[in-house]
Amino acid sequence: MIIILSPYRSNRLEFICQFIFSEQLGVDYQIIVAQENFEFNSETCVIGYGVSQSHLKTFNLPCRGLLFEQDIHPQEINVESFQSQFEPSQKIKSFFNEPGYDFTFDLFSACFYLLSRYEEYLPHQKDAFGRFPHTASLAFKNDFLDQPLINIWIKEFKKALQLRFKNVHFNSPVFQSIVTYDIDMAWSYQNKGLFRNLFGFLKSPSLERLKVLSGLQKDPFDQFDFLSEINEKWKLNGIYFFLLAKSRSAFDKNIHPNHPEWMKQIQRISKKHKTGIHPSYYSMDQPKQIDSELKNLSEITKTEIVRSRQHYLRFSLPETYRTLAECGIEKEYSMGYGSINGFRASFAGSFLWFDVLNDTTTQLRIFPFSYMDANSIFEEKITAAEAKIKFIEHLNVCKETNGLFISVFHNHLLTKDADGNDWRMLFENVIPQTQQ
């Protein structure tokens, strides 16, 4: 049992203590207001959060006060680096720093700021797709987007507590990996009908299209047998997210969700793998579409759908998350950028979403990803070889910090591009390493 002495109680403090102590350190805790009468013995593990108890052998943390505020406003943040107490060669970035304590910065407030996506509630200029831009984030501006900083902090915090309190035993998470697939377009040519194929051919004549439609060649987007083989070979518990937009647009190019062949493909996949809804591009602006598409997928699979990832990663806090929760979504996988690879919430693992405006811990669990193939190809415009390096870097730091590494792949991108980059080979090369 760990006692946290605090000047006040708050929902924000409860949220972050539940996250750090229960979920990440696997230890019981109790928050006690410093003014309350409570008897401690010499063996009690006591953390003083911004309070002074000189007669106790407390482990002292500074308190910036963010967890006891009620409003949302710009925070004064100065990112600095401190020397790891346990790995002398490592310097760790932090903020809300204050010297003179057993831990050099307000760990609780810093974790809350990043996990809650506090900065996304502040005024900012949206990107071309109406999303929070990565360039506005604290992580990008201070060059720690490639680090699951919270995992690193908690690892350092755990070692410091173990050094001080020998009788406390922790049960931390172990490294895990989840491979996910966004199925935006099941086929490039097949099952799209005569007029759509004719218009496509006239717009861009293609011998490949003719070969596919005549049965001489497999549709290039049809990678489902290949994915099934990879999943079985490496015993992947992959998750498939299906785009079921009923109206086509420049962003939603799938065939109609009730097309017989599309329904059969979804049913085949859902019998072996976990599935989720991939709410269409305009669902962020038209929330009723989420419920409609979710019910459609549930009817096709004959199962309850509790997972989702927004198409183009278009979501707005808190509105989109509230809508998803109201529709019955329990696990949400959109927390990542559609413009760059990295750790958007600075954390490799899952966590409950805290609705900052309502000051409430919800039951919607967030699963952030850090690598998506589309970012490497279209946004970062790097080669498959360069993407492999970045992929392995993210994977290794998750292994080192016992994090959860989530990657995103698209069936229609598992091909060679015009420059000869073999993205399918990249996928085959890196997937085995996620399971080691």
Side-chain angles (χ1 to χ4, degrees):
M1 169 72 75
I2 291 180
I3 302 296
I4 296 105
L5 280 180
S6 169
Y8 312 100
R9 282 192 178 89
S10 74
N11 290 341
R12 293 181 179 187
L13 178 62
E14 290 282 1
F15 163 75
I16 211 63
C17 286
Q18 172 71 20
F19 167 75
I20 292 176
F21 296 103
S22 293
E23 296 194 9
Q24 298 308 305
L25 296 179
V27 64
D28 292 333
Y29 73 92
Q30 184 178 355
I31 299 173
I32 295 177
V33 175
Q35 291 80 7
E36 295 176 353
N37 293 322
F38 194 87
E39 295 294 330
F40 299 99
N41 61 51
S42 59
E43 300 298 317
T44 305
C45 174
V46 181
I47 295 176
Y49 182 50
V51 298
S52 176
Q53 297 286 330
S54 57
H55 64 289
L56 296 172
K57 296 179 180 179
T58 58
F59 184 97
N60 294 308
L61 279 175
C63 174
R64 179 57 62 97
L66 175 62
L67 301 187
F68 306 120
E69 295 176 354
Q70 297 294 321
D71 60 349
I72 302 172
H73 60 89
Q75 299 290 320
E76 183 179 342
I77 295 178
N78 181 28
V79 177
E80 301 175 353
S81 294
F82 70 92
Q83 194 79 41
S84 170
Q85 184 180 354
F86 307 97
E87 297 180 36
S89 62
Q90 183 182 23
K91 284 200 169 184
I92 303 172
K93 293 189 176 182
S94 64
F95 54 95
F96 296 150
N97 301 287
E98 195 168 339
Y101 289 81
D102 294 304
F103 214 65
T104 59
F105 67 101
D106 183 350
L107 173 68
F108 295 174
S109 289
C111 285
F112 178 82
Y113 185 87
L114 295 173
L115 275 188
S116 69
R117 306 309 303 131
Y118 191 99
E119 62 189 355
E120 298 191 31
Y121 290 84
L122 299 173
H124 59 269
Q125 183 68 43
K126 305 286 187 182
D127 71 5
F129 300 102
R131 307 172 300 196
F132 177 80
H134 73 269
T135 52
S137 71
L138 184 71
F140 179 78
K141 291 177 179 178
N142 291 277
D143 198 30
F144 61 83
L145 187 58
D146 285 327
Q147 295 180 304
L149 199 54
I150 292 175
N151 300 71
I152 296 171
W153 288 342
I154 293 176
K155 183 179 179 181
E156 188 81 2
F157 183 57
K158 175 184 174 181
K159 289 181 178 179
L161 290 179
Q162 288 175 320
L163 188 64
R164 176 67 67 86
F165 304 107
K166 308 296 185 183
N167 61 328
V168 178
H169 301 285
F170 300 101
N171 185 24
S172 300
V174 297
F175 166 75
Q176 289 182 293
S177 172
I178 300 176
V179 181
T180 66
Y181 310 106
D182 285 355
I183 313 300
D184 301 344
M185 294 178 283
W187 298 280
S188 181
Y189 311 117
Q190 283 184 316
N191 302 310
K192 290 191 172 181
L194 175 62
F195 291 106
R196 192 170 175 185
N197 269 300
L198 180 59
F199 178 78
F201 183 81
L202 294 174
K203 184 178 180 181
S204 179
S206 166
L207 180 61
E208 181 182 61
R209 185 188 296 267
L210 296 178
K211 287 182 177 180
V212 169
L213 294 178
S214 62
L216 298 175
Q217 181 178 319
K218 190 174 183 179
D219 192 295
F221 290 2
D222 186 356
Q223 301 289 336
F224 299 109
D225 289 341
F226 165 67
L227 291 178
S228 181
E229 291 172 6
I230 293 294
N231 290 333
E232 186 174 343
K233 180 178 180 179
W234 297 106
K235 296 180 173 54
L236 302 180
N237 195 9
I239 305 174
Y240 289 74
F241 293 93
F242 298 108
L243 178 65
L244 297 184
K246 292 183 178 179
S247 300
R248 287 202 309 273
S249 71
F251 307 103
D252 300 318
K253 299 179 181 180
N254 58 299
I255 64 176
H256 195 279
N258 294 331
H259 189 291
E261 291 303 314
W262 186 206
M263 293 173 68
K264 288 179 184 177
Q265 186 64 264
I266 293 174
Q267 289 165 353
R268 279 194 291 268
I269 293 172
S270 65
K271 287 179 181 179
K272 292 184 177 180
H273 300 283
K274 297 174 182 177
T275 59
I277 190 65
H278 198 35
S280 55
Y281 183 87
Y282 293 103
S283 67
M284 184 182 83
D285 311 306
Q286 302 168 18
K288 290 184 179 179
Q289 289 186 197
I290 294 178
D291 189 51
S292 175
E293 294 166 13
L294 183 61
K295 288 178 179 177
N296 200 357
L297 181 58
S298 182
E299 290 172 0
I300 293 171
T301 62
K302 307 301 181 187
T303 61
E304 182 183 9
I305 304 299
V306 297
R307 298 174 180 83
S308 71
R309 176 186 288 130
Q310 293 293 115
H311 191 33
Y312 274 75
L313 305 175
R314 293 188 79 234
F315 68 90
S316 178
L317 293 177
E319 296 83 5
T320 307
Y321 278 3
R322 286 178 180 172
T323 298
L324 290 168
E326 289 169 1
C327 290
I329 294 297
E330 299 173 1
K331 301 177 180 181
E332 221 296 313
Y333 292 76
S334 302
M335 184 57 73
Y337 289 114
S339 50
I340 193 172
N341 284 320
F343 298 90
R344 181 168 178 168
S346 300
F347 179 63
S350 72
F351 58 94
L352 293 176
W353 173 53
F354 188 89
D355 186 335
V356 181
L357 288 184
N358 279 344
D359 193 35
T360 303
T361 301
T362 73
Q363 293 307 303
L364 180 64
R365 184 162 286 276
I366 309 303
F367 290 78
F369 70 89
S370 66
Y371 177 84
M372 180 168 68
D373 55 0
N375 280 341
S376 295
I377 298 170
F378 302 117
E379 303 297 332
E380 297 172 317
K381 300 185 188 307
I382 58 178
T383 67
E386 292 169 328
K388 180 180 178 181
I389 294 172
K390 181 60 67 85
F391 184 101
I392 297 301
E393 287 177 353
H394 286 186
L395 174 63
N396 285 341
V397 74
C398 288
K399 289 181 177 180
E400 292 165 3
T401 57
N402 295 323
L404 170 63
F405 178 68
I406 300 180
S407 53
V408 185
F409 293 91
H410 295 77
N411 61 296
H412 69 279
L413 297 179
L414 296 176
T415 58
K416 282 188 178 180
D417 65 17
D419 296 321
N421 287 299
D422 196 333
W423 296 97
R424 176 171 167 143
M425 185 176 292
L426 165 70
F427 176 77
E428 289 184 282
N429 287 340
V430 297
I431 288 304
Q433 300 187 53
T434 66
Q435 305 307 300
Q436 296 173 357

